[in-house]
């Protein structure tokens, strides 16, 4: 059996001490539990004690790179709302950050579709710091905050989830070959203490029910040490979204870096815009993972809706006209502003930056028609960090 590798980073932070104490008392914890504590602990969790976005944070999302990203997403959702003609809809954003994306979309709607601009805005956000940022940025919009999707209004919703699913806690399993004639098995990958530091350790084999839930029985024969991932929270969120859209109508864009499939270790950490060990000072680094769009698709279908796509973010933005919009915006700009805008748009669409790492999909009611820009083929996945830069 392969030996576990402990973290080589410093220990001693308050959250490390709390996690270590819990492990010493109750034994190793799941990867999902570790991520949940590192990001969401009420006192020391990453998202509860700081604003992680922008140059002063640890990563920069597409809406912070250029307002054109929000404009194009707003135009696309307005087009979908116009096609559906479902009366007064509600607006939804999962993980709205500083409110930049919603502000840019509402700006577009105020010009082309006042009905959307006047709709109530529902934000799924748990961070008190970010809720205040959103309130300041989106005033005087009719705002409602939610910790989950349990109490959405019984109306059509048009929503967006940009870099939301990648931050939800995932569980991991590791394949171990059999020894002395025994069969190999998928085992839970856990977080334990090794020489006083956090590290990965093997847990019990997955049950047959877990093998089915993770859809591992149909996978090719793995090699020793292969990693599989499963995000129960993503399934739960998509189930609620899909059930709502199947019942009341609407659409929800899902934009995230990801792939079709769950095999491979995609867990990563970022601090000060640089990759770090996933056990680097828990609570001081952002943790994220690649989204498994095939799992989201299965869940949406099982709940009476459908997920179309994904296509690459670069192809999506190009297909809905970001190049033409950029040209129009830069006509009256000075040379320095033009260079900055072209550089920002290149970062969004280039295959060497965010254009191929990030994917775009949409949850819709059941049917057969495909919306514009979501009929495009995906390109081969590469390994990227949260900024979208290729590591291959």
């Amino acid at each position: 059996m392969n030996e576990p590798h402990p973290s080589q980073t410093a220990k001693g932070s308050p959250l490390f001490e709390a996690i270590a104490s819990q492990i010493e008392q109750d034994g190793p914890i799941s990867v999902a539990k570790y991520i949940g504590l590192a990001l969401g602990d009420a006192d020391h969790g990453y998202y509860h004690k700081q604003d992680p976005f922008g140059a002063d944070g640890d990563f920069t999302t597409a809406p912070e790179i250029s307002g054109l990203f929000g404009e194009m997403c707003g135009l696309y959702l307005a087009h979908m709302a116009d096609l559906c003609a479902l009366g007064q809809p509600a607006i939804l954003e999962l993980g709205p950050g500083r409110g930049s994306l919603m502000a840019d979309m509402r700006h577009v709607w105020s010009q082309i579709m006042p009905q959307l601009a006047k709709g109530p805005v529902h934000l799924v956000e748990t961070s008190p710091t970010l809720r205040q940022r959103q309130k300041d940025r989106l005033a005087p919009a009719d705002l409602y905050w939610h910790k989950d999707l349990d109490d959405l209004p019984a109306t059509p919703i048009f929503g967006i989830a940009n870099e939301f699913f990648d931050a939800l806690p995932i569980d991991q399993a590791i394949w171990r070959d059999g020894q002395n004639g025994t069969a190999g098995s998928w085992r839970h990958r856990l977080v334990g203490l090794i020489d006083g530091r956090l590290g990965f350790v093997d847990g019990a084999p997955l049950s047959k029910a877990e093998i089915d839930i993770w859809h591992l029985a149909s996978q090719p024969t793995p090699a020793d040490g292969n990693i599989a991932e499963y995000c129960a929270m993503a399934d739960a969120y998509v189930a609620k979204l899909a059930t709502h859209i199947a019942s009341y109508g609407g659409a929800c864009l899902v934009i995230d870096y990801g792939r079709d499939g769950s095999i491979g270790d995609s867990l990563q950490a970022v601090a000060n815009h640089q990759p770090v060990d996933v056990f680097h000072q828990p609570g001081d680094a952002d943790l994220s993972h690649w989204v498994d769009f095939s799992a989201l698709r299965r869940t949406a279908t099982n709940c009476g809706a459908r997920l179309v796509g994904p296509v690459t973010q670069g192809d999506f933005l190009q297909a809905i006209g970001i190049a033409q919009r950029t040209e129009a915006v830069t006509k009256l700009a000075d040379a320095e502003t033009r260079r900055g805008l072209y550089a920002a748009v290149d970062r969004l669409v280039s295959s060497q930056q965010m254009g191929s790492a990030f994917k775009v999909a949409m949850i819709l009611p059941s049917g057969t028609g495909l919306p514009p820009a979501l009929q495009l083929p995906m390109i081969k996945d590469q390994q990227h960090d949260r900024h979208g830069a290729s590591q291959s």
Side-chain angles (χ1 to χ4, degrees):
M1 180 177 294
N2 291 345
E3 292 297 321
H5 297 284
S7 164
Q8 298 302 310
T9 54
K11 56 184 179 179
S13 70
L15 190 53
F16 168 86
E17 298 296 343
I19 294 172
S21 176
Q22 181 174 339
I23 292 172
E24 287 172 344
Q25 180 175 337
D26 301 323
I29 60 176
S30 69
V31 174
K33 178 70 172 178
Y34 170 72
I35 296 171
L37 290 170
L39 297 182
D41 179 80
D43 296 318
H44 306 292
Y46 180 78
Y47 283 116
H48 283 265
K49 66 180 186 180
Q50 61 194 348
D51 179 355
F53 302 101
D56 294 330
D58 290 321
F59 58 90
T60 305
T61 60
E64 305 289 340
I65 293 171
S66 173
L68 284 181
F69 179 83
E71 284 192 24
M72 301 310 296
C73 291
L75 287 168
Y76 193 80
L77 284 174
H79 173 73
M80 295 303 301
D82 188 49
L83 288 178
C84 296
L86 294 172
Q88 180 61 61
I91 309 304
L92 172 70
E93 184 174 1
L94 289 78
R98 292 172 169 175
S100 302
L101 175 56
M102 183 58 66
D104 292 334
M105 293 196 301
R106 283 174 50 80
H107 174 71
V108 167
W109 295 338
S110 68
Q111 299 176 34
I112 65 170
M113 188 172 280
Q115 182 182 15
L116 278 183
K118 294 176 182 177
V121 178
H122 297 265
L123 304 171
V124 177
E125 179 62 69
T126 60
S127 166
T129 300
L130 291 178
R131 283 190 177 193
Q132 185 59 51
R133 287 288 191 103
Q134 294 150 18
K135 181 179 179 180
D136 295 341
R137 184 70 184 270
L138 298 174
D142 188 14
L143 301 175
Y144 299 87
W145 282 275
H146 306 261
K147 61 181 178 62
D148 50 40
L149 296 175
D150 287 341
D151 56 350
L152 291 178
T155 60
I157 59 168
F158 287 89
I160 189 165
N162 180 62
E163 292 200 53
F164 173 79
F165 287 99
D166 68 271
L168 298 179
I170 54 166
D171 280 303
Q172 290 187 328
I174 187 166
W175 178 264
R176 292 305 186 190
D177 287 342
Q179 295 182 353
N180 301 321
T182 62
S185 63
W186 285 106
R187 307 182 72 90
H188 288 279
R189 197 184 197 202
L190 304 177
V191 176
L193 287 173
I194 307 167
D195 297 329
R197 296 179 182 274
L198 296 174
F200 291 112
V201 299
D202 290 0
L206 271 65
S207 67
K208 184 180 183 305
E210 288 172 327
I211 292 289
D212 291 341
I213 292 171
W214 290 45
H215 290 268
L216 292 175
S218 60
Q219 296 291 339
T221 302
D224 188 74
N226 279 176
I227 303 296
E229 298 177 336
Y230 172 65
C231 186
M233 286 186 69
D235 271 3
Y237 272 107
V238 170
K240 291 174 183 177
L241 270 175
T243 299
H244 189 99
I245 289 172
S247 299
Y248 302 105
C252 185
L253 275 172
V254 177
I255 306 174
D256 232 314
Y257 59 101
R259 58 192 176 187
D260 264 0
S262 64
I263 301 300
D265 182 4
S266 73
L267 184 61
Q268 56 193 16
V270 173
N272 298 318
H273 295 271
Q274 297 296 323
V276 296
D277 187 279
V278 296
F279 299 119
H280 170 81
Q281 298 177 343
D284 291 334
D286 174 51
L287 295 172
S288 62
H289 57 87
W290 280 43
V291 174
D292 178 5
F293 281 95
S294 66
L296 306 190
R297 186 181 303 111
R298 283 193 300 267
T299 301
T301 301
N302 290 339
C303 293
R306 58 187 173 127
L307 182 137
V308 296
V311 301
T312 67
Q313 177 176 291
D315 283 346
F316 176 80
L317 291 174
Q318 294 280 24
I320 63 176
I322 195 170
Q324 294 83 348
R325 177 60 180 155
T326 304
E327 289 296 329
V329 170
T330 57
K331 280 184 178 179
L332 300 179
D334 59 42
E336 183 177 353
T337 301
R338 284 198 300 272
R339 284 194 295 270
L341 188 56
Y342 283 129
V345 171
D346 181 69
R347 185 173 174 185
L348 294 174
V349 303
S350 169
S351 62
Q352 298 304 310
Q353 300 197 57
M354 297 176 73
S356 63
F358 284 76
K359 311 297 192 298
V360 182
M362 177 170 270
I363 300 173
L364 291 167
S366 60
T368 57
L370 292 177
L374 289 175
Q375 314 97 324
L376 301 164
M378 278 181 56
I379 65 170
K380 181 180 179 181
D381 285 333
Q382 296 175 302
Q383 184 66 38
H384 296 77
D385 64 20
R386 186 161 192 162
H387 306 282
S390 175
Q391 298 175 358
S392 59

